[in-house]
Amino acid sequence: VLRRRLNESEIERERFRERHRIERPARLASLGKIILKIGVLAVLFILEVVINGSFLAKANLGGLLGGAAQAVTFAGLNIIASYFWGMVLIRLINRRNYLLKLIGLVSFLAYLAFAVALNLTLSHLREIPPAVSLNDTMGEVVLHRLLTAPLGLTDINSWVLFTIGFIFSLIAMVDGLLFFDPYMGYSGLERRWIEASRQFADARSELIERLRDIREDATEAMNEAARDLSVRRSEYDALLQGRARLAQRFEHHQSQIEQTCRALLEIYREANRGTRSTPAPDYFTKPYAMARISYAGSEPNPSARETLRQMIADTQALLNQQIKAIHEAFDGAVRTYREIDELLPEKKPETKPEKMNG
């Protein structure tokens, strides 16, 4: 499903590039660039509020505070409106469609008229005497000056205010124009394709990693079983040797008991002869013989050890074959993920045949 979604995103992207004759990758704005561009707008807004407030304080009865209140309104309109004008309408000038290009060009001219008119309004507002604001006719006076003598500013500071506001407006417009890819709609399409590629790659990597964990666990279990067989074989040899040593020690222990009994019995008989008045019995001359306990266990078959060694070797060979089979199964499973790419190949741009002369 993820590969099919990626394939559809690739087809959509390639068709968009072919339809709009785009050969470059989309210019995507990173998080750092977005923060930088928003920061530029914030700095422009603050600077314009401060500059406009100081200039407008001359024509406002509220002084610097009243000028700052008016400056916030004009700065917001100048910066934010210019930004959205460049990001939405003027950006249409980059489209291939001639109608959209015309709309973008007309929007650019309309923006210039808007920026000039807004900043001229602000400059004329600065030159209005504070007494006029008491009669609530400031708006009418500014509108009359704009209609009759839009360039009739009498103070050089008013022209400075107009120039600063217009430059800030241009910077905000360019910031909006370059905030995303210049070709409208291309960056969103590119982001969807990148996200589909990332989801497919992450899912495939996760599945392969899960298979790798299964392979490692199974391989370790079989290697542990092979090592355990080797240990069992060593233990079997140690048991056989220990049983033989125990039987020998038991025989030696019985011989020591017999010799001890003979020595004690000889001391007794010698003492008995010295006190007897009659000849000693004939059995006094016979040495004591202890009844031996014979080990009833039979010796292991000489071929049993070789048989066990061969069985262990065969089992270890089987385990090695299974480990190899596990690795082959892992490789086969990974190949199935590659087969998905073969079933849904990446969409390649079609090349148009060149026309032949003659």
Side-chain angles (χ1 to χ4, degrees):
V1 173
L2 294 176
R3 187 62 183 93
R4 185 177 294 109
R5 184 180 303 169
L6 173 59
N7 187 51
E8 292 172 353
S9 298
E10 290 172 347
I11 294 175
E12 181 185 15
R13 175 174 173 267
E14 292 303 324
R15 287 179 178 174
F16 184 90
R17 288 161 57 97
E18 181 181 358
R19 183 169 62 252
H20 297 279
R21 300 190 298 277
I22 300 176
E23 298 180 355
R24 60 171 178 83
R27 298 169 187 170
L28 302 179
S30 62
L31 180 60
K33 291 182 178 180
I34 292 177
I35 295 176
L36 176 62
K37 292 177 179 180
I38 294 177
V40 169
L41 291 177
V43 171
L44 289 177
F45 178 79
I46 295 173
L47 288 177
E48 184 159 4
V49 168
V50 173
I51 295 173
N52 290 351
S54 62
F55 276 103
L56 292 176
K58 173 185 175 181
N60 196 293
L61 291 176
L64 187 60
L65 184 61
Q70 285 183 332
V72 170
T73 304
F74 279 95
L77 186 61
N78 192 37
I79 299 300
I80 298 177
S82 300
Y83 167 76
F84 283 106
W85 216 306
M87 188 177 68
V88 179
L89 294 176
I90 299 177
R91 201 150 62 104
L92 293 174
I93 202 171
N94 296 312
R95 297 295 295 250
R96 300 292 184 184
N97 187 284
Y98 290 107
L99 177 60
L100 295 179
K101 277 183 176 294
L102 180 60
I103 294 176
L105 180 60
V106 172
S107 300
F108 177 70
L109 297 176
Y111 155 74
L112 291 178
F114 163 79
V116 170
L118 180 65
N119 287 281
L120 279 177
T121 301
L122 191 63
S123 299
H124 281 289
L125 183 63
R126 178 186 175 276
E127 294 189 350
I128 299 300
V132 178
S133 60
L134 294 176
N135 301 326
D136 294 331
T137 60
M138 180 179 293
E140 297 178 1
V141 173
V142 171
L143 182 60
H144 177 73
R145 289 171 63 106
L146 286 175
L147 294 177
T148 57
L151 301 180
L153 298 174
T154 59
D155 192 344
I156 187 63
N157 289 329
S158 300
W159 284 108
V160 172
L161 179 62
F162 168 79
T163 304
I164 294 175
F166 186 72
I167 291 175
F168 282 5
S169 176
L170 284 177
I171 295 176
M173 186 273 294
V174 173
D175 193 31
L177 183 64
L178 301 179
F179 199 87
F180 298 109
D181 189 270
Y183 204 90
M184 187 176 294
Y186 189 28
S187 59
L189 190 63
E190 186 84 359
R191 289 186 184 278
R192 290 194 297 272
W193 173 71
I194 292 177
E195 180 64 19
S197 301
R198 185 193 61 79
Q199 290 181 357
F200 175 70
D202 290 348
R204 181 167 57 180
S205 298
E206 181 182 356
L207 291 174
I208 292 177
E209 188 64 28
R210 192 181 305 171
L211 287 175
R212 185 176 288 108
D213 292 339
I214 295 174
R215 181 192 65 179
E216 297 300 329
D217 292 342
T219 301
E220 180 60 27
M222 292 190 179
N223 287 331
E224 183 65 25
R227 288 192 295 267
D228 186 67
L229 287 175
S230 299
V231 172
R232 298 298 182 185
R233 183 175 61 185
S234 301
E235 291 178 351
Y236 176 75
D237 295 338
L239 288 173
L240 291 180
Q241 295 174 2
R243 185 175 66 173
R245 286 195 301 269
L246 185 60
Q248 293 175 0
R249 292 175 64 184
F250 184 63
E251 288 291 333
H252 182 65
H253 182 65
Q254 290 185 104
S255 298
Q256 287 182 341
I257 293 176
E258 186 179 48
Q259 291 176 2
T260 303
C261 290
R262 286 180 180 178
L264 293 174
L265 188 59
E266 186 63 29
I267 294 173
Y268 166 76
R269 288 175 177 175
E270 187 65 28
N272 185 271
R273 289 191 187 96
T275 59
R276 298 179 63 93
S277 58
T278 59
D282 293 338
Y283 67 86
F284 271 32
T285 60
K286 296 180 180 179
Y288 172 75
M290 187 185 72
R292 299 295 182 95
I293 301 176
S294 300
Y295 173 65
S298 59
E299 292 295 328
N301 189 353
S303 62
R305 183 175 180 180
E306 180 62 25
T307 302
L308 178 62
R309 187 195 65 78
Q310 185 62 39
M311 291 175 61
I312 291 176
D314 294 342
T315 305
Q316 289 177 336
L318 178 61
L319 289 173
N320 290 331
Q321 292 177 0
Q322 293 303 314
I323 292 175
K324 182 179 179 182
I326 289 175
H327 284 271
E328 291 177 352
F330 171 79
D331 294 337
V334 173
R335 280 195 299 271
T336 58
Y337 297 139
R338 297 194 183 99
E339 290 173 357
I340 295 177
D341 290 333
E342 296 175 0
L343 291 174
L344 297 172
E346 182 179 358
K347 177 66 178 177
K348 301 295 183 180
E350 297 180 359
T351 56
K352 296 181 179 180
E354 298 182 356
K355 295 182 179 181
M356 300 292 293
N357 294 327

